[in-house]
């Protein structure tokens, strides 16, 4: 047996504890192993991992391993078990439960030295994705998990592709370079590091686990929300209802509300959501200094007068833009959640005028004023260019709406009461344009603010209404409120 400890008094304490524990073990085998010695070593590992010295590593969901008196009594007390100082059935059962890899502490306790981020606009980057879920699903879950904390504090989060991100997220196998190797299925599910330079804020998930969006396997939202609490500076809570409680418990992202204990903890570090904290952020290398991430106008999702600046499809998601807000509707989650435009497209200004995606090219186009940007998924590519690239007349200084029609491989660009047709394969404007919107799209009166093609139907958004247009019948077949697309 190898024990590494410092100072010497800690070694003496552990050796005394080992002797005391060995006398407390039951004599007969039980369901947790073929021998008492196996239970004893399992308990010894658990104690060293969770009730020994405090380290900087914080992680969620680690399969338990066990205690020695008086550490055994400390563990039993923490989990609200009967404090017997013995490896009884309930104690072993608790140690077998999936849990976090961080040492256990008091209610919402902070890490030693109270580490926290000194700036309130934090960047994050997903360095390596899992093979169990799509990239869009992982992006969405991480955004939801971060919003759990930003919704009750002054924190803001920006997604970036810079190596200098505050929080770097990755799915790893076994030993992955941080001295805390993963151990295969179950066991340790994930871990994260408290705020600091270097590894600080880094959050790792075990790729050997079965990551899911639901109740089977391990729910990624549940684990990510907990882990990101560690990355922000929270240690474990002994309150069973808390998100920061050490053991795994499924949380439904659709109706999740951060428990009071967690709210108290995170607000002790970063203040309330309404608090305005002076910033001195560390700007990421690849992102130039930018204006505030909060939009100047945040319409209520179910406001009947809500209109969209742009709508487009990216992968399996529908994106709805309004000022600085971005709603992402993920069909597999059947859930729509608002976020900030900058979180997904950090190089853009505070809003967009129009947007569309060409799946065959894997490229999206986002318009603002007389310029447009391109992206692959949510990764911006290159510098902004002039909208004159599309062959628009020099008098056109902005585009109101844009939509790509898959069957004919053409993009319609709406400008005031007219529209243009751009041939994507030939990269040139079709002759005979512009045409009048009202004349060509019977039933659509006035300006088109946004447009999107879904399941072969063209949807045109004008003001607070959305018109379903059947191109074969050349007529509007349905009119609904624009906010109905957000579940209202």
């Amino acid at each position: 047996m190898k024990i590494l400890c410092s100072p010497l008094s800690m070694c003496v304490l552990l050796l005394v504890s080992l002797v005391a524990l060995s006398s407390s073990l039951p004599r007969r085998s039980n369901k947790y192993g073929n021998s008492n010695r196996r239970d004893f070593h399992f308990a010894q590992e658990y104690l060293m991992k969770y009730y020994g010295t405090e380290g900087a590593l914080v992680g969620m969901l680690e399969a338990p391993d066990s205690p020695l008196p008086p550490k055994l009594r400390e563990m039993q007390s923490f989990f609200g078990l009967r404090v017997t100082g013995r490896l009884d059935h309930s104690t072993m059962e608790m140690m077998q439960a999936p849990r976090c890899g961080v040492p256990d502490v008091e209610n919402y306790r902070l890490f030693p030295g109270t580490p926290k981020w000194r700036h309130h606009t934090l960047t994050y980057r997903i360095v390596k994705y899992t093979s169990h879920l799509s990239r869009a699903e992982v992006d969405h879950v991480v955004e939801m998990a971060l919003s759990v904390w930003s919704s009750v504090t002054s924190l803001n989060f920006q997604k970036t592709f810079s190596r200098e991100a505050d929080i770097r997220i990755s799915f790893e196998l076994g030993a992955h370079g941080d001295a805390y190797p993963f151990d295969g299925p179950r066991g340790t599910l994930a871990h994260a590091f408290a705020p600091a330079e270097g590894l600080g804020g880094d959050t790792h998930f075990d790729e050997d686990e079965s990551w899911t969006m639901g109740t089977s396997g391990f729910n990624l939202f549940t684990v990510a929300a907990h882990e990101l609490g560690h990355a922000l500076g929270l240690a474990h809570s002994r309150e069973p209802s808390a998100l920061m409680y050490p053991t795994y418990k499924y949380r439904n992202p659709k109706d999740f509300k951060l428990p009071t204990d967690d709210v108290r903890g995170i607000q002790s570090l970063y203040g309330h959501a309404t608090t305005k904290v002076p910033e001195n952020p560390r700007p990421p290398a690849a992102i130039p200094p930018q204006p505030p991430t909060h939009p100047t106008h945040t319409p209520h999702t179910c406001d009947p007068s809500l209109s969209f600046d742009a709508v487009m499809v990216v992968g399996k998601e529908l994106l709805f833009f309004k000022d600085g807000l971005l709603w992402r509707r993920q069909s597999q989650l059947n859930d729509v959640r608002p976020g900030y435009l900058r979180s997904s497209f950090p190089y853009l200004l505070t809003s967009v005028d129009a947007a569309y995606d060409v799946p065959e090219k894997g490229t999206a186009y986002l318009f603002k004023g007389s310029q447009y940007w391109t992206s692959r998924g949510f990764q911006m590519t290159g510098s902004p260019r002039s909208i004159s690239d599309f062959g628009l007349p020099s008098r056109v200084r902005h585009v109101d709406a844009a939509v790509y029609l898959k069957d004919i491989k053409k993009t319609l660009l709406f400008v005031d009461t007219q529209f243009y047709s751009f041939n994507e394969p030939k990269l040139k404007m079709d002759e005979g344009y512009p045409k009048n919107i009202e004349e060509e799209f019977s039933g659509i009166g006035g300006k088109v603010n946004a447009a999107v093609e879904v399941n072969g139907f063209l949807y045109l958004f004008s003001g607070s209404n959305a018109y379903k247009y059947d191109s074969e019948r050349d007529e509007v077949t349905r009119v609904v409120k624009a906010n109905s697309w957000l579940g209202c």
Side-chain angles (χ1 to χ4, degrees):
M1 176 179 62
K2 184 177 181 181
I3 299 178
L4 299 178
C5 49
S6 180
L8 179 60
S9 57
M10 179 60 73
C11 289
V12 173
L13 172 62
L14 290 176
L15 288 172
V16 171
S17 297
L18 283 169
V19 173
L21 179 62
S22 62
S23 63
S24 71
L25 288 171
R27 294 184 177 276
R28 290 179 295 178
S29 299
N30 57 43
K31 63 182 264 186
Y32 299 101
N34 296 324
S35 68
N36 295 328
R37 183 172 297 276
R38 180 177 299 176
D39 291 346
F40 172 77
H41 288 301
F42 181 74
Q44 175 192 340
E45 269 185 51
Y46 188 95
L47 173 62
M48 292 296 293
K49 190 178 291 186
Y50 304 118
Y51 292 86
T53 57
E54 292 180 312
L57 178 71
V58 267
M60 182 179 181
L61 317 175
E62 180 151 310
D65 311 22
S66 190
L68 322 163
K71 295 296 185 178
L72 175 56
R73 292 185 175 87
E74 187 179 341
M75 175 265 180
Q76 291 171 327
S77 174
F78 182 91
F79 285 103
L81 303 173
R82 187 174 168 218
V83 182
T84 64
R86 295 177 178 273
L87 285 176
D88 50 38
H89 177 85
S90 58
T91 300
M92 287 298 296
E93 191 172 60
M94 179 60 72
M95 289 191 296
Q96 294 282 0
R99 58 151 295 154
C100 181
V102 130
D104 295 327
V105 291
E106 296 296 324
N107 295 51
Y108 88 73
R109 229 195 74 183
L110 311 175
F111 292 113
T114 317
K116 69 176 183 179
W117 298 106
R118 300 303 171 185
H119 47 286
H120 287 237
T121 297
L122 303 178
T123 57
Y124 71 96
R125 177 189 176 196
I126 303 177
V127 179
K128 192 181 298 184
Y129 286 80
T130 177
S131 61
H132 300 278
L133 299 168
S134 70
R135 292 172 70 97
E137 287 172 325
V138 174
D139 287 342
H140 188 62
V141 167
V142 169
E143 187 174 288
M144 287 193 298
L146 289 168
S147 71
V148 163
W149 302 106
S150 63
S151 65
V152 297
T153 65
S154 57
L155 291 171
N156 301 309
F157 297 99
Q158 287 183 355
K159 187 176 181 182
T160 181
F161 299 92
S162 167
R163 294 181 62 186
E164 301 303 316
D166 296 310
I167 298 172
R168 291 171 288 271
I169 299 167
S170 62
F171 292 79
E172 306 285 354
L173 287 168
H176 50 281
D178 64 1
Y180 296 93
F182 285 127
D183 54 4
R186 296 183 67 83
T188 302
L189 302 186
H191 58 230
F193 292 83
E197 293 298 321
L199 280 174
D202 286 10
T203 303
H204 302 155
F205 299 87
D206 189 351
E207 176 62 4
D208 270 331
E209 308 301 341
S210 177
W211 297 110
T212 70
M213 306 291 281
T215 56
S216 62
F218 289 102
N219 178 265
L220 183 57
F221 168 79
T222 298
V223 181
H226 177 110
E227 287 304 325
L228 290 167
H230 287 317
L232 296 175
L234 288 182
H236 283 150
S237 170
R238 66 184 301 164
E239 168 55 50
S241 65
L243 175 63
M244 299 310 296
Y245 192 65
T247 57
Y248 175 85
K249 177 184 177 183
Y250 168 73
R251 312 275 181 163
N252 186 340
K254 190 172 184 179
D255 55 11
F256 178 74
K257 182 179 180 181
L258 192 65
T260 302
D261 188 69
D262 303 295
V263 173
R264 287 175 53 227
I266 200 67
Q267 289 182 348
S268 74
L269 289 173
Y270 301 105
H272 294 254
T274 55
T275 302
K276 301 301 180 184
V277 180
E279 289 273 355
N280 183 22
R282 180 184 70 191
I287 301 180
Q290 303 184 19
T293 58
H294 286 288
T296 57
H297 175 52
T298 54
H300 189 276
T301 299
C302 290
D303 183 341
S305 64
L306 176 65
S307 62
F308 297 119
D309 296 329
V311 181
M312 75 171 174
V313 177
V314 173
K316 297 180 180 179
E317 286 188 302
L318 266 169
L319 307 184
F320 300 85
F321 301 81
K322 179 63 178 180
D323 296 332
L325 285 178
L326 173 64
W327 287 268
R328 294 172 64 171
R329 177 176 172 176
Q330 231 291 345
S331 58
Q332 293 186 1
L333 288 177
N334 194 27
D335 186 29
V336 181
R337 293 178 70 96
Y340 289 98
L341 174 63
R342 282 290 199 63
S343 296
S344 296
F345 300 100
Y347 285 93
L348 288 178
L349 300 174
T350 54
S351 63
V352 298
D353 295 330
Y356 75 94
D357 178 71
V358 181
E360 298 94 318
K361 296 180 180 179
T363 302
Y365 299 81
L366 300 103
F367 297 79
K368 176 65 179 179
S370 61
Q371 295 181 311
Y372 73 94
W373 286 255
T374 60
S375 74
R376 290 188 177 276
F378 295 97
Q379 182 172 359
M380 306 304 294
T381 57
S383 303
R385 297 175 59 90
S386 171
I387 60 175
S388 62
D389 289 353
F390 289 86
L392 292 165
S394 59
R395 67 176 181 275
V396 174
R397 306 303 300 162
H398 75 281
V399 174
D400 292 320
V403 58
Y404 175 65
L405 305 178
K406 295 178 183 177
D407 288 345
I408 61 175
K409 300 186 185 307
K410 295 186 179 183
T411 297
L412 304 185
L413 302 170
F414 295 84
V415 179
D416 295 325
T417 58
Q418 299 177 316
F419 72 98
Y420 297 80
S421 175
F422 181 75
N423 188 312
E424 291 288 348
K426 295 181 179 180
L427 295 178
K428 60 180 295 186
M429 194 70 74
D430 289 327
E431 296 182 1
Y433 288 87
K435 293 183 178 181
N436 187 281
I437 294 173
E438 194 167 359
E439 291 179 0
E440 295 296 320
F441 295 97
S442 177
I444 308 294
K447 193 168 78 169
V448 173
N449 306 111
V452 68
E453 187 181 55
V454 178
N455 295 329
F457 289 98
L458 177 62
Y459 294 86
L460 301 175
F461 295 78
S462 180
S464 61
N465 291 329
Y467 299 82
K468 181 179 180 180
Y469 191 83
D470 188 328
S471 299
E472 292 185 0
R473 295 164 58 181
D474 193 24
E475 64 179 17
V476 173
T477 60
R478 190 182 183 193
V479 181
V480 298
K481 300 300 289 184
N483 64 15
S484 66
W485 286 70
L486 303 181
C488 300

